[in-house]
Amino acid sequence: MSDNTIRQFISFTIGDEEYGVDIMAIREIKGWTASTALPNAPTYMRGVINLRGAIVPILDLRARFGRNATETTPRHVIMVVAVGSRVAGLLVDAVADILAVPAEDIQPVPQLELVATGFLTGLVTVEGRMVALLDLDHVFAFEDMDLSELNAEAAA
């Protein structure tokens, strides 16, 4: 019995790479707004913005994936997403597309010992390009990190 479920994703770019987020997690997409930095925050935590009275943390996905921080321009975009009861903004280069993908076309992420693949739930090929599907729960797993280690790193 095959699964005829169609999954929808919003795809976006970080450099030359394309990623997708489940469309149901997206609350809004807005242009880049400068954020207020928080002390002792991890390097990928850009700070917070006020979004219609709600304080929303902004994560720089480029930095979260272990690369240099994004040099923001007015063309950058914040994708506001909800994960459970949490709302956060993801700083990305640009929104690319809305993808409708049959569930059976989503391929598993190859398990490689030298590559941290936990941020991904799967891979899909769309019109000849590879789109990596994000696991937002894992992207936001920074709460599980030991903050004393982060503070020690910041003080070093």
Side-chain angles (χ1 to χ4, degrees), residues 8 27 31 33 43-44 95 106 112 124 137 145:
Q8 289 190 308
R27 293 296 168 259
T33 303
T43 54
Y44 56 83
V95 171
I106 299 171
L112 304 171
V124 65
D137 288 327
M145 296 169 68

Side-chain angles (χ1 to χ4, degrees), residues 54-129:
I55 301 302
V56 177
I58 305 299
L59 288 113
D60 181 341
L61 276 187
R62 184 185 311 269
R64 181 70 171 121
F65 294 163
R67 300 186 186 101
N68 293 332
T70 301
E71 302 271 339
T72 55
T73 70
R75 291 193 319 244
H76 282 87
V77 177
I78 296 173
M79 295 176 54
V80 179
V81 298
V83 178
S85 62
R86 302 205 47 197
V87 174
L90 304 176
L91 173 60
V92 302
D93 290 356
V95 171
D97 208 350
I98 297 173
L99 307 175
V101 179
E104 64 265 15
D105 288 357
I106 299 171
Q107 300 297 313
V109 179
Q111 295 304 309
L112 304 171
E113 290 181 21
L114 300 176
V115 180
T117 56
F119 289 124
L120 306 179
T121 60
L123 300 165
V124 65
T125 302
V126 179
E127 297 173 3
R129 61 190 202 272

Side-chain angles (χ1 to χ4, degrees), residues 7-28:
R7 304 260 325 264
Q8 289 190 308
F9 300 92
I10 300 281
S11 69
F12 60 89
T13 58
I14 297 175
D16 294 334
E17 300 166 1
E18 191 170 355
Y19 296 90
V21 172
D22 190 303
I23 199 166
M24 297 307 291
I26 305 287
R27 293 296 168 259
E28 96 178 61

Side-chain angles (χ1 to χ4, degrees), residues 33-38 45-51 54-58:
T33 303
S35 58
T36 302
L38 299 175
M45 180 68 73
R46 287 302 283 247
V48 294
I49 62 170
N50 184 332
L51 187 64
I55 301 302
V56 177
I58 305 299

